[in-house]
Amino acid sequence: MKSYLKVLSTFFLAGALVACGGNQETNQAPANNAGSADANKPTYSFRLAETHPADYPTTLGDKKFAELVSEKSGGRIKIDVFPSAQLGEEKAAIEQVQLGAIEFVRVSSGALAGFNKDYGVFSLPYIFDSQDHMWSFLNGADGQKLLESLESSKMKGLSYFDPGSRSFYTKDPVTSLEDLKGKKIRVIQNEVNVDIMNALGVSATPMAYGEVFSALQTGVIDGAENNYPSYFSSRHYEVAKHYLVDQHQRVPEVLLISSATWNKLSPEDQQIIKDAAMEAVPYQIEEWNKYEKESEEKVVAAGSVVTKVEDLKPWQEAVKPVIDKYRPDYGHILDAIDKARK
Ligand code: GTR
């Protein structure tokens, strides 16, 4: 009886996976492999969820990753990238990945913080001085170890992508910390973000990315915060024209796979996926740098008023209690981040 139930539940689980459109495993080799050494290896068709549009630099990184996986596996492992949140907003996509219903996702570590406490560290303000500083930490032993820590949350981190730096933007003119006080600002849903906004005297309004445009338009919020590429591609600049550059966060983008999927793969296929994810990174950074510059130029050309914060000290002072609050949780990582400063 017991084994009957086991067979039955395995059958339903497999059915559910196929019904979701992903993870169709067969033992048939693709036509171009017939007769080759790969002939007896399984083939897979996986899905990768991405919140940004098709031409956005994280999506280009996802596509490069998929291309490399296909190349390295002789076409056995196919990954379809679904841009523009077609498979759901980030929080929902992560939940699906935890269940194994979606195999891959590229998300912000800001969103991951709601699922894995370690990832909250990246939402802490002003911890990275520059893009180079961030990459020197991410590429080091502690940065790479953090990718592995996702395994306790039923996911496996494969690589980081460049996230740029986040700054504020509002509907009304804002050129200083004083102006920002009392404003309702949308943030990615996590506890650290709410604490930062409280410390700055701002009213934090967590909500899904896809809802921000209409919330700005209807005045539910006064502003939001993001990097230039997101500010541009989401068209938020059309409804919130004042961009205040304080670069409070660099929240790494993460490419990850469901543990349910990872654990089914052979060591050879796991290696292919890990290598492809790492090899896609330099390309993603290059695309990021290009798009970041272009989006800054385009929003300015469209009439956005950009103010650069000259003196960050009052901002850093204001959020110091937030760093102090989280130091007991993230002390070791914060030390490693300090050390990665060149
Ligand atoms: C972007 C990030 C997205 C999403 C978005 C947001 O910078 O690339 O993954 O997290 O921010 O603010 O929700």
Side-chain angles (χ1 to χ4, degrees), residues 87-122:
L87 301 183
E89 296 283 346
E90 291 200 323
K91 193 162 166 272
I94 296 170
E95 282 162 3
Q96 295 295 302
V97 164
Q98 286 184 311
L99 293 171
I102 298 175
E103 295 83 12
F104 295 88
V105 68
R106 192 292 311 159
V107 279
S108 165
S109 39
L112 279 177
F115 294 81
N116 182 299
K117 189 142 201 261
D118 288 349
Y119 274 73
V121 72
F122 290 126

Side-chain angles (χ1 to χ4, degrees), residues 13-328:
L13 185 63
L17 288 171
V18 171
C20 289
N23 216 347
Q24 293 153 356
E25 183 185 342
T26 69
N27 275 321
Q28 273 166 14
N32 61 351
N33 277 337
S36 78
D38 282 349
N40 293 321
K41 294 180 184 167
T43 67
Y44 297 99
S45 178
F46 293 138
R47 299 188 299 169
L48 190 159
E50 168 62 68
T51 206
H52 291 298
D55 63 343
Y56 192 92
T58 54
T59 319
L60 297 180
D62 304 337
K63 288 185 189 159
K64 172 60 86 182
F65 161 65
E67 202 180 291
L68 288 166
V69 169
S70 169
E71 215 174 279
K72 287 174 190 291
S73 66
R76 279 190 306 109
I77 309 178
K78 182 170 176 285
I79 300 173
D80 281 317
V81 176
F82 289 80
S84 305
Q86 286 174 55
L87 301 183
E89 296 283 346
E90 291 200 323
K91 193 162 166 272
I94 296 170
E95 282 162 3
Q96 295 295 302
V97 164
Q98 286 184 311
L99 293 171
I102 298 175
E103 295 83 12
F104 295 88
V105 68
R106 192 292 311 159
V107 279
S108 165
S109 39
L112 279 177
F115 294 81
N116 182 299
K117 189 142 201 261
D118 288 349
Y119 274 73
V121 72
F122 290 126
S123 290
L124 287 173
Y126 311 112
I127 55 172
F128 294 119
D129 296 345
S130 63
Q131 185 184 35
D132 280 355
H133 177 203
M134 179 196 71
W135 278 110
S136 122
F137 169 76
L138 296 179
N139 288 331
D142 291 283
Q144 293 300 306
K145 225 199 271 157
L146 267 174
L147 285 176
E148 267 137 52
S149 80
L150 282 174
E151 280 167 53
S152 61
S153 312
K154 303 192 185 136
M155 302 173 260
K156 184 177 166 64
L158 296 170
S159 63
Y160 296 107
F161 281 170
D162 204 294
S165 60
R166 298 177 79 100
S167 290
F168 291 95
Y169 49 89
T170 49
K171 288 166 70 102
D172 291 336
V174 157
T175 57
S176 67
L177 183 51
E178 278 314 302
D179 292 343
L180 208 58
K181 288 196 192 295
K183 296 256 184 284
K184 270 199 215 144
I185 301 289
R186 178 270 171 177
V187 291
I188 296 184
Q189 295 130 302
N190 79 45
E191 192 192 331
V192 177
N193 282 335
V194 174
D195 286 339
I196 296 173
M197 297 305 143
N198 285 340
L200 292 175
V202 164
S203 165
T205 312
M207 73 173 63
Y209 188 50
E211 290 165 18
V212 180
F213 185 87
S214 67
L216 283 168
Q217 210 172 27
T218 55
V220 169
I221 51 173
D222 301 312
E225 44 80 59
N226 222 314
N227 48 47
Y228 275 120
S230 291
Y231 176 53
F232 170 66
S233 72
S234 61
R235 297 178 28 242
H236 294 172
Y237 71 97
E238 291 176 9
V239 278
K241 290 201 163 303
H242 302 273
Y243 194 82
L244 181 58
V245 184
D246 75 313
Q247 303 189 307
H248 52 274
Q249 290 170 331
R250 290 182 186 269
V251 197
E253 311 288 5
V254 185
L255 179 60
L256 54 89
I257 180 171
S258 165
S259 292
T261 308
W262 179 259
N263 293 336
K264 279 198 327 212
L265 297 174
S266 67
E268 179 196 343
D269 288 349
Q270 290 179 340
Q271 196 62 47
I272 286 175
I273 283 171
K274 180 71 194 165
D275 289 349
M278 293 306 282
E279 283 173 35
V281 176
Y283 171 80
Q284 190 274 337
I285 298 177
E286 205 182 299
E287 291 299 321
W288 180 271
N289 290 340
K290 266 195 273 175
Y291 195 95
E292 187 177 50
K293 199 165 164 285
E294 281 166 22
S295 41
E296 178 177 355
E297 286 163 6
K298 284 183 183 154
V299 297
V300 170
S304 279
V305 183
V306 174
T307 308
K308 298 211 162 100
V309 174
E310 293 302 338
D311 182 12
L312 270 180
K313 281 220 185 76
W315 298 69
Q316 289 165 332
E317 271 304 307
V319 296
K320 202 170 161 290
V322 182
I323 304 270
D324 293 343
K325 172 176 171 187
Y326 288 98
R327 190 166 282 282

